[in-house]
């Protein structure tokens, strides 16, 4: 290098190289609430009715010419769930709002970010909440999630107990045990016998790793690419071909990411669940009381359990 060559190391006027994008790695998927039906709620207590068929009878035979007799009939069952207000806020100073900066405007960035975070909160509440809360002027309403609804087809650890939705009693924790294929087969069979058509199993990512070692996946194929040079070892699977139909094995990151991980596996018939919305996502600018702009994003809705016996749950997993 010639003497006295000016280099970038000592120059103070070079502009910074900062691109106009912000990259976020945090997962944003909500596989349960994204897969179930969407409907409307019209009050803070959302209600619906359920019914069931009697058991089939091979001895149902009538005498020719006999008078008809009438058996007692059961009415429908009326049940419901509370809507939950899920919200978040953010504030941006007026100075920061006008400063020239790389990336999107702070209000737009934070509004988009908070909306994704609230979607994950809805997913967590719709799955892990064991009870609902009526609420008051000082207590927030909460919805009952899968953990508190699925009672008919329930597997839990020793000493535990299934939830009782009719009395708003959540599941009682039992002794923890590892996820096994026997548990999965039993859960799928019970839901099928009750009339459900399970097509999804939601579980923590760590339990998906365990499930990939189930013996039902004993044949591990190698797929050779078209050029004949590459091969893929199938160490996992996305669909479990059970005796009662193909079931998607879904690692649900929300179940493990929340403050108290949801140590369960939910075998779901999506047609029997719905997300009922009372108020869709609303972004509101609040009153300005200082040198900043203040915002709140709100959603209100609940989980509609059209018939919990269609699905099953396995709890108290290690």
């Amino acid at each position: 290098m010639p003497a006295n060559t000016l280099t970038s190391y000592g120059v103070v006027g070079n502009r910074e190289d900062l691109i106009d994008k912000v990259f976020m790695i945090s997962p944003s998927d909500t596989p349960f609430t994204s897969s179930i039906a969407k409907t409307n709620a019209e009050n803070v207590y959302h209600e619906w009715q359920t019914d069931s068929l009697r058991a089939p009878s091979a001895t149902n035979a009538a005498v020719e010419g006999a008078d008809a007799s009438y058996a007692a009939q059961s009415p429908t069952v009326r049940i419901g769930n509370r809507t939950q207000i899920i919200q978040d806020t953010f504030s941006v100073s007026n100075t920061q709002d006008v400063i020239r900066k790389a990336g999107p405007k702070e209000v737009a960035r934070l509004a988009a970010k908070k909306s994704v975070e609230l979607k994950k909160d809805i997913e967590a509440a719709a799955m892990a909440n064991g009870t609902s809360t009526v609420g008051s002027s000082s207590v927030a309403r909460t919805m009952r999630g899968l953990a508190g609804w699925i009672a008919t087809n329930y597997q839990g650890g020793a000493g535990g107990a299934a939830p009782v939705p009719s009395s708003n009693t959540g599941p009682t924790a039992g002794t923890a045990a590892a996820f096994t294929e026997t548990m999965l087969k039993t859960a799928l069979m019970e839901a099928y016998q009750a009339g459900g058509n399970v097509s999804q199993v939601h579980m923590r990512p760590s339990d998906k790793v365990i499930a990939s070692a189930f013996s039902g996946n004993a044949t591990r194929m190698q797929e050779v690419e078209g050029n004949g040079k590459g091969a893929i070892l199938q160490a996992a699977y996305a669909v479990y071909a059970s005796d009662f139909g193909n079931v998607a094995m879904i690692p649900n990151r929300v179940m493990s990411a929340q403050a108290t991980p949801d140590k369960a596996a939910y075998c779901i018939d999506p047609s029997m669940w719905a997300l009922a919305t009372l108020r869709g996502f609303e972004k509101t600018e609040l009153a300005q009381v200082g040198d900043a702009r203040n915002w709140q994003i709100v959603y209100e809705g609940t989980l509609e359990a059209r018939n919990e016996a269609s699905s099953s749950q396995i709890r108290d997993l290690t």
Side-chain angles (χ1 to χ4, degrees):
M1 179 186 299
N4 300 320
T5 298
L6 182 66
T7 67
S8 63
Y9 298 107
V11 176
V12 298
N14 293 341
R15 291 192 179 277
E16 63 183 2
D17 180 14
L18 180 60
I19 68 174
D20 286 325
K21 290 184 179 180
V22 177
F23 300 95
M24 182 170 59
I25 185 61
S26 302
S28 59
D29 49 320
T30 53
F32 172 62
T33 51
S34 296
S35 67
I36 60 178
K38 307 299 184 293
T39 189
N40 295 323
E42 297 181 348
N43 205 328
V44 296
Y45 186 56
H46 179 62
E47 295 181 276
W48 58 95
Q49 298 179 78
T50 65
D51 203 356
S52 60
L53 302 175
R54 62 165 176 77
S57 173
T59 61
N60 186 347
V63 176
E64 182 178 344
D67 291 337
S69 60
Y70 305 94
Q73 301 298 313
S74 300
T76 59
V77 178
R78 182 173 173 175
I79 57 178
N81 204 357
R82 305 285 173 182
T83 60
Q84 181 169 332
I85 300 172
I86 296 175
Q87 66 86 39
D88 209 340
T89 58
F90 63 91
S91 180
V92 179
S93 74
N94 289 326
T95 300
Q96 178 60 26
D97 198 34
V98 300
I99 286 177
R100 183 173 178 268
K101 52 188 170 292
K105 290 284 189 179
E106 293 294 357
V107 171
R109 179 184 70 84
L110 290 173
K113 178 181 177 181
K114 294 299 181 183
S115 296
V116 173
E117 291 173 343
L118 293 182
K119 283 180 60 180
K120 294 172 66 178
D121 291 344
I122 295 168
E123 178 93 347
M127 300 184 78
N129 282 3
T131 60
S132 64
T133 305
V134 174
S136 67
S137 60
S138 59
V139 177
R141 289 188 303 276
T142 61
M143 71 176 83
R144 182 185 299 115
L146 293 175
W149 274 114
I150 303 176
T152 302
N153 308 312
Y154 176 90
Q155 294 181 68
V164 184
S166 60
S167 62
N168 197 29
T169 303
T172 302
T175 304
F179 189 29
T180 67
E181 189 170 13
T182 298
M183 292 177 179
L184 176 62
K185 287 184 174 182
T186 299
L188 295 175
M189 180 182 68
E190 289 178 343
Y192 180 80
Q193 288 178 323
N197 294 297
V198 171
S199 61
Q200 300 177 354
V201 180
H202 293 261
M203 69 202 84
R204 295 173 297 168
S206 58
D207 289 319
K208 176 61 176 70
V209 173
I210 293 173
S212 291
F214 288 169
S215 61
N217 188 37
T219 303
R220 298 179 181 271
M221 307 294 293
Q222 284 189 329
E223 294 183 0
V224 180
E225 297 176 0
N227 57 20
K229 297 180 180 179
I232 301 174
L233 173 62
Q234 298 296 332
Y237 58 90
V239 176
Y240 183 86
S242 77
D243 294 309
F244 313 105
N246 291 341
V247 180
M249 304 292 282
I250 301 173
N252 192 312
R253 288 183 279 207
V254 171
M255 294 176 65
S256 59
Q258 52 195 294
T260 302
D262 191 5
K263 300 178 180 179
Y266 299 105
C267 304
I268 300 299
D269 179 348
S271 68
M272 288 294 168
W273 302 89
L275 187 64
T277 298
L278 181 61
R279 290 188 290 160
F281 280 92
E282 301 171 351
K283 184 182 77 170
T284 305
E285 185 169 10
L286 305 180
Q288 186 169 330
V289 294
D291 187 23
R293 298 177 68 191
N294 309 306
W295 300 85
Q296 183 182 44
I297 302 179
V298 176
Y299 168 89
E300 184 171 3
T302 192
L303 179 66
E304 184 178 288
R306 293 174 172 177
N307 203 307
E308 58 83 19
S310 66
S311 304
S312 57
Q313 69 168 316
I314 305 166
R315 299 203 67 78
D316 305 322
L317 299 177
T318 52

